[in-house]
Amino acid sequence: MPHLLHIDSSSRSADSVSRRISARYVDAWRQQNPEGTVTYRDVTVNTPNFVSADWVTGVFAPAEYHTPQTRAAVDASSVLISEVEAADVLVLGVPMYNFNVPATFKAWIDQIAMAGRTFAYDENGPRGLLGGKKVVIARASGSDFSNPAFAPMDFHAPYLRGILGFLGITDVEFISVNGQTPEQIEAGLTEADQAIAASLKAL
Ligand SMILES: Cc1cc2nc3c(=O)[nH]c(=O)nc-3n(C[C@H](O)[C@H](O)[C@H](O)COP(=O)(O)O)c2cc1C
Protein backbone atom coordinates (compact mmCIF):
# COMPACT_ATOMS: atom_id res chain seq x y z
CA MET A 1 0.00 0.00 0.00
CA PRO A 2 1.72 3.25 -1.06
CA HIS A 3 2.20 5.90 1.58
CA LEU A 4 2.64 9.65 1.12
CA LEU A 5 4.02 12.19 3.59
CA HIS A 6 2.58 15.67 3.02
CA ILE A 7 4.26 18.62 4.72
CA ASP A 8 3.38 22.31 4.51
CA SER A 9 5.51 25.20 5.71
CA SER A 10 3.88 28.42 4.51
CA SER A 11 3.03 30.84 7.31
CA ARG A 12 -0.12 31.69 5.35
CA SER A 13 -3.15 29.46 5.18
CA ALA A 14 -5.90 29.99 2.59
CA ASP A 15 -3.86 32.46 0.54
CA SER A 16 -0.81 30.23 0.39
CA VAL A 17 0.22 29.20 -3.10
CA SER A 18 2.57 26.43 -1.98
CA ARG A 19 -0.24 24.92 0.12
CA ARG A 20 -2.51 24.99 -2.91
CA ILE A 21 0.08 23.23 -5.07
CA SER A 22 0.84 20.58 -2.45
CA ALA A 23 -2.88 19.98 -1.78
CA ARG A 24 -3.60 19.58 -5.49
CA TYR A 25 -0.77 17.09 -5.82
CA VAL A 26 -1.95 15.07 -2.83
CA ASP A 27 -5.59 15.10 -4.01
CA ALA A 28 -4.55 13.85 -7.45
CA TRP A 29 -2.28 11.23 -5.87
CA ARG A 30 -5.16 10.00 -3.69
CA GLN A 31 -7.34 9.62 -6.78
CA GLN A 32 -4.60 7.62 -8.46
CA ASN A 33 -3.93 5.58 -5.31
CA PRO A 34 -7.30 5.01 -3.63
CA GLU A 35 -5.74 2.40 -1.37
CA GLY A 36 -2.85 4.72 -0.46
CA THR A 37 -2.43 6.42 2.91
CA VAL A 38 -1.32 9.94 3.76
CA THR A 39 0.35 11.49 6.81
CA TYR A 40 0.04 15.26 7.07
CA ARG A 41 2.32 17.57 9.04
CA ASP A 42 2.13 21.36 9.19
CA VAL A 43 5.48 22.61 10.49
CA THR A 44 4.07 26.08 11.16
CA VAL A 45 1.52 24.60 13.58
CA ASN A 46 3.74 21.90 15.06
CA THR A 47 7.12 23.53 14.60
CA PRO A 48 9.97 21.05 15.05
CA ASN A 49 12.46 21.70 17.82
CA PHE A 50 15.59 23.62 16.96
CA VAL A 51 18.84 21.76 17.37
CA SER A 52 19.69 21.91 21.09
CA ALA A 53 22.68 20.86 23.19
CA ASP A 54 20.59 17.93 24.47
CA TRP A 55 19.88 16.84 20.90
CA VAL A 56 23.55 17.01 19.86
CA THR A 57 24.63 15.14 22.97
CA GLY A 58 21.86 12.59 22.55
CA VAL A 59 22.61 11.86 18.91
CA PHE A 60 26.29 11.27 19.51
CA ALA A 61 26.37 9.78 23.04
CA PRO A 62 26.17 6.06 23.81
CA ALA A 63 22.82 5.03 25.29
CA GLU A 64 24.21 4.71 28.83
CA TYR A 65 25.08 8.41 28.88
CA HIS A 66 21.58 9.57 28.00
CA THR A 67 19.63 11.80 30.35
CA PRO A 68 15.83 12.15 30.21
CA GLN A 69 16.43 15.41 28.32
CA THR A 70 18.78 13.97 25.70
CA ARG A 71 16.49 10.97 25.24
CA ALA A 72 13.46 13.25 24.77
CA ALA A 73 15.31 15.39 22.23
CA VAL A 74 16.33 12.37 20.15
CA ASP A 75 12.89 10.76 20.47
CA ALA A 76 11.23 13.91 19.07
CA SER A 77 13.49 13.68 16.01
CA SER A 78 12.84 10.00 15.71
CA VAL A 79 9.10 10.62 15.27
CA LEU A 80 9.82 12.89 12.28
CA ILE A 81 12.36 10.49 10.79
CA SER A 82 9.97 7.56 11.11
CA GLU A 83 7.40 9.52 9.11
CA VAL A 84 9.93 9.99 6.32
CA GLU A 85 11.08 6.37 6.45
CA ALA A 86 7.48 5.17 6.16
CA ALA A 87 6.78 7.24 3.03
CA ASP A 88 7.22 6.23 -0.60
CA VAL A 89 6.46 9.77 -1.77
CA LEU A 90 7.00 13.07 0.03
CA VAL A 91 5.09 16.17 -1.06
CA LEU A 92 6.70 19.19 0.56
CA GLY A 93 5.06 22.61 0.37
CA VAL A 94 8.02 24.97 0.66
CA PRO A 95 7.69 28.66 -0.19
CA MET A 96 10.72 30.82 -0.78
CA TYR A 97 11.52 33.11 2.13
CA ASN A 98 14.54 35.36 1.74
CA PHE A 99 15.89 33.23 -1.10
CA ASN A 100 15.81 30.00 0.88
CA VAL A 101 13.37 27.76 2.77
CA PRO A 102 11.24 28.96 5.72
CA ALA A 103 12.90 28.59 9.12
CA THR A 104 10.16 26.16 10.21
CA PHE A 105 11.03 23.89 7.30
CA LYS A 106 14.76 24.21 8.02
CA ALA A 107 14.00 23.12 11.59
CA TRP A 108 12.35 19.99 10.15
CA ILE A 109 15.40 19.29 7.99
CA ASP A 110 17.69 19.76 11.00
CA GLN A 111 15.64 17.19 12.92
CA ILE A 112 15.63 14.54 10.20
CA ALA A 113 19.33 14.86 9.30
CA MET A 114 20.68 12.54 11.97
CA ALA A 115 24.08 10.82 11.78
CA GLY A 116 23.75 7.06 11.91
CA ARG A 117 20.03 7.17 11.15
CA THR A 118 19.53 9.08 7.90
CA PHE A 119 23.14 9.44 6.76
CA ALA A 120 26.43 7.78 7.56
CA TYR A 121 30.06 8.08 6.60
CA ASP A 122 32.08 5.18 5.30
CA GLU A 123 35.37 4.79 3.41
CA ASN A 124 33.73 6.34 0.33
CA GLY A 125 32.48 9.41 2.19
CA PRO A 126 28.90 10.34 3.08
CA ARG A 127 26.10 7.92 2.33
CA GLY A 128 22.41 8.85 2.49
CA LEU A 129 20.18 6.25 4.11
CA LEU A 130 16.77 7.44 2.84
CA GLY A 131 17.08 6.17 -0.72
CA GLY A 132 14.26 4.93 -2.92
CA LYS A 133 11.82 7.75 -2.28
CA LYS A 134 10.35 10.39 -4.54
CA VAL A 135 10.12 13.98 -3.34
CA VAL A 136 7.91 16.62 -4.90
CA ILE A 137 8.63 20.20 -3.83
CA ALA A 138 5.58 22.46 -4.15
CA ARG A 139 7.39 25.76 -4.40
CA ALA A 140 6.02 29.31 -4.46
CA SER A 141 8.10 32.44 -4.92
CA GLY A 142 7.52 36.07 -5.73
CA SER A 143 10.22 36.24 -8.40
CA ASP A 144 10.77 34.13 -11.46
CA PHE A 145 14.16 32.47 -11.01
CA SER A 146 14.35 31.29 -14.60
CA ASN A 147 15.21 34.96 -15.16
CA PRO A 148 19.06 35.10 -15.20
CA ALA A 149 18.96 38.31 -13.18
CA PHE A 150 17.44 36.43 -10.21
CA ALA A 151 18.92 32.97 -10.73
CA PRO A 152 22.09 33.50 -8.63
CA MET A 153 19.92 34.31 -5.61
CA ASP A 154 18.05 31.01 -5.73
CA PHE A 155 19.44 29.15 -2.72
CA HIS A 156 16.13 27.32 -2.23
CA ALA A 157 16.31 24.72 -5.02
CA PRO A 158 20.07 24.01 -4.74
CA TYR A 159 19.78 23.70 -0.97
CA LEU A 160 16.88 21.27 -1.17
CA ARG A 161 18.51 19.17 -3.88
CA GLY A 162 21.76 19.18 -1.89
CA ILE A 163 20.42 18.22 1.51
CA LEU A 164 17.94 15.65 0.16
CA GLY A 165 20.69 14.11 -1.98
CA PHE A 166 22.92 13.98 1.12
CA LEU A 167 20.16 11.96 2.80
CA GLY A 168 19.99 9.64 -0.21
CA ILE A 169 16.95 11.13 -1.96
CA THR A 170 17.86 11.97 -5.53
CA ASP A 171 14.43 11.75 -7.21
CA VAL A 172 13.43 15.35 -6.50
CA GLU A 173 10.93 17.23 -8.65
CA PHE A 174 9.97 20.89 -8.32
CA ILE A 175 6.50 22.12 -9.18
CA SER A 176 6.80 25.88 -8.95
CA VAL A 177 4.54 28.89 -9.17
CA ASN A 178 6.18 32.31 -9.41
CA GLY A 179 4.55 35.69 -9.02
CA GLN A 180 2.38 37.74 -6.71
CA THR A 181 -0.55 38.97 -8.80
CA PRO A 182 -3.78 36.94 -8.95
CA GLU A 183 -3.28 36.55 -12.71
CA GLN A 184 0.26 35.22 -12.31
CA ILE A 185 -0.84 32.85 -9.59
CA GLU A 186 -3.83 31.52 -11.53
CA ALA A 187 -1.70 30.98 -14.64
CA GLY A 188 0.97 29.33 -12.50
CA LEU A 189 -1.53 27.00 -10.84
CA THR A 190 -2.89 25.97 -14.23
CA GLU A 191 0.65 25.06 -15.29
CA ALA A 192 1.17 23.32 -11.96
CA ASP A 193 -1.90 21.15 -12.61
CA GLN A 194 -0.33 20.02 -15.87
CA ALA A 195 2.98 19.31 -14.12
CA ILE A 196 1.14 17.33 -11.44
CA ALA A 197 -0.63 15.21 -14.04
CA ALA A 198 2.66 14.53 -15.83
CA SER A 199 4.40 13.72 -12.56
CA LEU A 200 1.73 11.25 -11.48
CA LYS A 201 1.71 9.63 -14.89
CA ALA A 202 5.41 8.92 -14.49
CA LEU A 203 5.05 7.50 -10.97
C1 LIG B 1 9.00 36.52 4.69
C2 LIG B 1 8.93 36.42 3.19
C3 LIG B 1 10.09 36.38 2.47
C4 LIG B 1 10.03 36.25 1.08
N1 LIG B 1 11.19 36.17 0.39
C5 LIG B 1 11.14 36.01 -0.97
C6 LIG B 1 12.34 35.88 -1.71
O1 LIG B 1 13.44 35.91 -1.19
N2 LIG B 1 12.25 35.72 -3.04
C7 LIG B 1 11.04 35.66 -3.68
O2 LIG B 1 11.02 35.47 -4.90
N3 LIG B 1 9.89 35.76 -2.99
C8 LIG B 1 9.91 35.93 -1.66
N4 LIG B 1 8.76 36.04 -0.94
C9 LIG B 1 7.48 35.89 -1.66
C10 LIG B 1 6.93 34.50 -1.43
O3 LIG B 1 7.85 33.51 -1.81
C11 LIG B 1 5.62 34.33 -2.18
O4 LIG B 1 4.69 35.26 -1.69
C12 LIG B 1 5.07 32.93 -2.03
O5 LIG B 1 3.83 32.86 -2.69
C13 LIG B 1 4.90 32.56 -0.55
O6 LIG B 1 4.44 31.24 -0.42
P1 LIG B 1 2.94 30.94 0.01
O7 LIG B 1 2.07 31.57 -1.04
O8 LIG B 1 2.84 29.46 0.03
O9 LIG B 1 2.71 31.57 1.35
C14 LIG B 1 8.78 36.18 0.43
C15 LIG B 1 7.61 36.25 1.18
C16 LIG B 1 7.68 36.37 2.54
C17 LIG B 1 6.41 36.40 3.35
Side-chain angles (χ1 to χ4, degrees):
M1 190 162 59
H3 185 67
L4 185 151
L5 175 62
H6 177 189
I7 292 183
D8 277 322
S9 61
S10 169
S11 299
R12 302 196 293 170
S13 48
D15 289 338
S16 162
V17 177
S18 62
R19 284 178 190 271
R20 274 185 274 173
I21 306 168
S22 69
R24 287 176 188 216
Y25 196 104
V26 174
D27 286 349
W29 184 88
R30 280 184 197 274
Q31 282 175 28
Q32 184 164 301
N33 298 277
E35 76 293 5
T37 52
V38 175
T39 296
Y40 181 66
R41 180 171 286 278
D42 185 333
V43 295
T44 70
V45 175
N46 291 306
T47 302
N49 297 332
F50 293 161
V51 169
S52 63
D54 283 330
W55 186 90
V56 177
T57 305
V59 168
F60 294 103
E64 62 268 29
Y65 289 103
H66 272 287
T67 64
Q69 290 77 17
T70 61
R71 174 52 52 209
V74 175
D75 284 351
S77 270
S78 197
V79 170
L80 302 180
I81 293 170
S82 297
E83 288 178 357
V84 177
E85 288 171 339
D88 306 293
V89 181
L90 288 81
V91 178
L92 310 176
V94 192
M96 176 178 283
Y97 284 175
N98 299 313
F99 305 103
N100 210 318
V101 301
T104 51
F105 188 82
K106 177 62 163 52
W108 180 78
I109 291 280
D110 286 343
Q111 291 294 309
I112 67 161
M114 188 189 286
R117 179 84 185 263
T118 56
F119 68 91
Y121 284 91
D122 59 24
E123 62 281 6
N124 300 314
R127 189 164 48 90
L129 303 178
L130 292 175
K133 301 177 192 305
K134 178 178 181 67
V135 169
V136 176
I137 307 288
R139 158 171 152 147
S141 65
S143 305
D144 178 358
F145 288 85
S146 63
N147 177 341
F150 287 112
M153 290 299 282
D154 184 357
F155 299 101
H156 179 281
Y159 170 68
L160 287 170
R161 283 194 194 283
I163 184 66
L164 292 168
F166 179 72
L167 300 178
I169 302 174
T170 52
D171 185 356
V172 180
E173 180 178 14
F174 282 76
I175 298 184
S176 305
V177 172
N178 315 308
Q180 305 277 25
T181 68
E183 295 76 21
Q184 287 172 323
I185 291 168
E186 274 322 305
L189 287 170
T190 301
E191 278 184 34
D193 281 338
Q194 291 162 6
I196 290 167
S199 172
L200 287 170
K201 210 169 168 186
L203 259 190

